[in-house]
Amino acid sequence: MRSYAIAALAVLAAAPPARAAVNVMTATEDLADLTRQVGGDRVKVESIARGYQDPHFVEAKPSFILKLAKADLLVVVGRELEIGWLPPLIQQSRNAKVQVGADGYLDASLTVKILEIPTGQITRAMGDVHPLGNPHYWLDPDNGRRIAKAIADKLARMAPADAPYFASRYADFDRRLGEAEKRWDALMAPYKGLKIVTYHRSWPNFADRFGLDVIGYVEPRPGIPPSPGHTIELIAEMKRQNVKILLVEPYFDLKTPQSIGRETGAKVLVMPPSVGGEKEITDYIQLFDYDLGLLVAAIKETGAK
Ligand SMILES: [Zn+2]
């Protein structure tokens, strides 16, 4: 018994001193999960937005100011996705580490493939909430891989002693994501070129990656609510092209989508674009498993092609 205790003490004495975990805040749950994937137990992570909220319009709760004040790292989606709610939280946190451009501010959009970058003059004058290209880029798994790599590299610079740990966590995530991609590609292979309509322009990277053809949107422009004139044109186009699936993000009113569904015979499919959008979607890989599962079931149900 006594020698047991001595042995236990010896083990304790030999253990390296516990390092404080890197304190990370992220704008969204997708970024929080990617941070957890590569950061493991060497990070403490919390997201400001919930996955069931419209990421363009999040209520900036003051409680997040205190949390941001203690953060070592803030990871954001960027491309002005958070412009309506994050800047005041950052400023009021008075935390020099996480101010825009500081070392603890990581804009995930800088290392990914961005679609729909406007050419010519950039303006929000018409209310378009995507003035710097499409900010929903995490819906391509290869962009998820690039974000995870950027976070792992950043963590390694912030906590150099843990760099090998972050590198091996990233390698494991990359491997699991690669295996999942094979599964998703096989699932979607029969439906290349499938025509769909979506409510908001949340899915261009997803559509590109999985071979879907988005022929129209319920919103006339990103962030602009549906108008009767635009809806009539959309219905005519959906009938002409025989579109049978209308994707709606969970935070939009279903009234217009349902009337479009009645007119065209298309199925209105509510599909979450983020981790946490449904309670089953607890991580980044599950997000695609869940969404592709929903989509394929709807394709089979409607006979869409
Ligand atoms: Zn958007």
Side-chain angles (χ1 to χ4, degrees):
M1 191 65 195
R2 187 158 176 270
S3 63
Y4 222 47
I6 288 167
L9 278 174
V11 167
L12 277 177
R19 279 186 291 268
V22 182
N23 193 347
V24 186
M25 293 294 292
T26 65
T28 65
E29 291 202 60
D30 308 287
L31 296 175
D33 181 64
L34 291 169
T35 304
R36 264 181 225 112
Q37 298 290 342
V38 296
D41 59 11
R42 313 286 163 88
V43 295
K44 201 176 133 252
V45 192
E46 192 179 342
S47 166
I48 299 171
R50 301 265 69 90
Y52 50 79
Q53 294 175 314
D54 182 342
H56 287 287
F57 305 102
V58 174
E59 192 199 343
K61 284 194 203 132
S63 58
F64 286 114
I65 296 169
L66 289 173
K67 289 176 176 174
L68 269 177
K70 294 181 203 148
D72 302 309
L73 174 63
L74 170 64
V75 188
V76 305
V77 175
R79 304 282 155 163
E80 297 200 349
L81 179 78
E82 304 100 337
I83 198 162
W85 52 276
L86 191 55
L89 296 180
I90 296 175
Q91 282 150 23
Q92 289 165 45
S93 79
R94 297 172 182 268
N95 179 351
K97 285 194 252 182
V98 300
Q99 300 297 312
V100 178
D103 211 36
Y105 179 90
L106 178 59
D107 180 341
S109 77
L110 299 180
T111 53
V112 300
K113 181 177 169 190
I114 301 289
L115 301 176
E116 302 178 347
I117 293 178
T119 50
Q121 201 192 350
I122 293 167
T123 173
R124 291 172 72 97
M126 294 174 79
D128 189 325
V129 293
H130 295 172
L132 302 180
N134 194 287
H136 303 274
Y137 57 79
W138 67 87
L139 286 160
D140 174 346
D142 193 53
N143 278 346
R145 176 180 283 111
R146 294 189 204 192
I147 299 165
K149 180 76 169 71
I151 296 170
D153 289 347
K154 172 62 83 175
L155 291 171
R157 284 194 296 276
M158 297 179 81
D162 285 329
Y165 175 80
F166 298 133
S168 86
R169 296 271 316 184
Y170 169 73
D172 182 60
F173 175 69
D174 176 38
R175 181 188 56 74
R176 286 184 290 117
L177 187 61
E179 281 169 10
E181 283 184 285
K182 283 184 205 152
R183 181 167 81 233
W184 301 331
D185 287 340
L187 184 68
M188 291 304 290
Y191 313 115
K192 285 269 174 286
L194 177 81
K195 290 182 161 84
I196 62 168
V197 161
T198 75
Y199 193 105
H200 181 76
R201 283 184 184 251
S202 303
W203 308 93
N205 293 84
F206 184 89
D208 218 37
R209 176 65 181 76
F210 296 110
L212 305 171
D213 182 8
V214 185
I215 67 115
Y217 308 91
V218 177
E219 289 180 332
R221 298 175 70 80
I224 305 297
S227 66
H230 176 75
T231 300
I232 288 167
E233 281 172 26
L234 181 64
I235 288 169
E237 194 57 26
M238 286 174 72
K239 284 180 176 168
R240 201 176 68 75
Q241 299 205 43
N242 195 28
V243 175
K244 290 291 166 223
I245 292 176
L246 167 50
L247 292 189
V248 183
E249 299 80 352
Y251 32 79
F252 290 115
D253 193 298
L254 285 172
K255 207 174 114 234
T256 303
Q258 278 164 348
S259 74
I260 295 170
R262 280 192 298 275
E263 287 290 325
T264 60
K267 180 179 172 65
V268 176
L269 181 63
V270 176
M271 202 158 105
S274 277
V275 172
E278 284 292 339
K279 63 178 185 307
E280 297 95 320
I281 310 173
T282 56
D283 71 34
Y284 184 77
I285 290 177
Q286 272 176 7
L287 172 63
F288 293 94
D289 277 327
Y290 186 90
D291 281 355
L292 292 171
L294 277 185
L295 185 58
V296 168
I299 293 169
K300 288 179 176 162
E301 183 190 326
T302 58
K305 261 197 191 139

